[in-house]
Amino acid sequence: MATTPTREVARRVFAGEFNDATYTFKESDDERAPVYLLLPTGERANRVFLVGTLMETEDVGDDSEYWQGQVIDPNGDRYYMYAGQYQPDAASMLRELEPPAYVSVVGKPRTYETDDGEVNVSIRPESITEVDAATRDRWVVETAERTLERIRRYEDETGEDGDGAAVDEYVAMAAEEYDLPIENYRRQVVEALESLEDEEAVAAEAGDA
């Protein structure tokens, strides 16, 4: 009896790290093998899960609808996602939603090379759902925790100075492919959590007024 392939875990990742993740790979020669995006903190991602503020939507298609959506995370960094005829539900949501709106997005990362040789990263959304501020806040806290877990593992594997030989294959791959300070992603975590505290303080002041 044929087994149903398990769906890949959707990784939580802030936009700053996601946009730095420019290296993709497969783990087999099978044409249908999943393509993974390598996160700089040493994790593979075939799918991602994000919650943020949908700031802009635009139909950028020529012959048929092809929607671009820009979602901003608490640090002010942006995810770009694109949905067309092969993602009808997501395209419909981008067509109908009125920015700004909190949204949760599950999708697959895609990379493409620009004419000047830069690699850009975007998301092909599988689902887009409008959510409330509490859902966004929970995602920020959980994404901060997951990011810190990846950073700790990366540092344990490579040593504090990042020069050790990692045993974890994805950490080793990230250390080889990316020349990026891991401290960048700890700073993004701190800034994201601080932004929540600032929002709560503003809300509390508004409530007392």
Side-chain angles (χ1 to χ4, degrees):
M1 188 171 118
T3 56
T4 305
T6 55
R7 299 189 83 187
E8 297 279 348
V9 174
R11 307 290 182 191
R12 290 170 167 82
V13 56
F14 289 119
E17 182 179 0
F18 181 76
N19 290 326
D20 282 346
T22 54
Y23 180 75
T24 58
F25 64 97
K26 285 184 171 188
E27 298 200 314
S28 87
D29 295 330
D30 188 333
E31 206 173 282
R32 292 171 298 176
V35 176
Y36 293 101
L37 183 73
L38 182 65
L39 300 179
T41 48
E43 185 63 89
R44 62 178 189 171
N46 174 253
R47 300 164 76 234
V48 292
F49 168 54
L50 64 99
V51 182
T53 308
L54 181 68
M55 295 301 292
E56 292 180 35
T57 58
E58 182 183 1
D59 180 4
V60 295
D62 294 326
D63 300 324
S64 59
E65 281 189 326
Y66 191 62
W67 285 86
Q68 180 198 75
Q70 295 183 35
V71 176
I72 196 167
D73 79 358
N75 296 325
D77 297 317
R78 293 183 183 233
Y79 307 90
Y80 290 83
M81 55 184 175
Y82 295 89
Q85 60 180 330
Y86 299 112
Q87 301 83 37
D89 294 342
S92 176
M93 287 297 288
L94 290 175
R95 184 189 313 114
E96 294 168 13
L97 281 169
E98 287 287 338
Y102 289 128
V103 293
S104 72
V105 180
V106 175
K108 289 185 176 288
R110 289 288 178 264
T111 58
Y112 61 96
E113 193 169 327
T114 63
D115 292 339
D116 55 7
E118 280 191 23
V119 177
N120 287 344
V121 193
S122 64
I123 297 166
R124 189 183 72 194
E126 296 170 352
S127 67
I128 302 172
T129 308
E130 190 166 9
V131 297
D132 57 16
T135 301
R136 194 286 306 257
D137 293 352
R138 277 197 305 274
W139 177 87
V140 172
V141 172
E142 289 168 0
T143 302
E145 290 172 352
R146 297 290 178 275
T147 303
L148 287 176
E149 286 170 7
R150 295 196 299 268
I151 290 170
R152 280 194 290 270
R153 190 177 71 238
Y154 185 101
E155 290 179 337
D156 287 346
E157 287 280 328
T158 61
E160 289 298 324
D161 58 5
D163 290 336
V167 176
D168 181 291
E169 64 177 308
Y170 304 118
V171 170
M173 201 184 294
E176 183 179 329
E177 293 296 335
Y178 298 120
D179 185 21
L180 297 164
I182 204 75
E183 194 58 37
N184 289 358
Y185 309 114
R186 183 179 279 109
R187 189 168 62 249
Q188 288 169 13
V189 167
V190 171
E191 289 172 357
L193 294 175
E194 285 178 346
S195 78
L196 286 192
E197 291 176 7
D198 292 344
E199 285 181 16
E200 286 173 6
V202 169
E205 285 178 18
D208 293 340

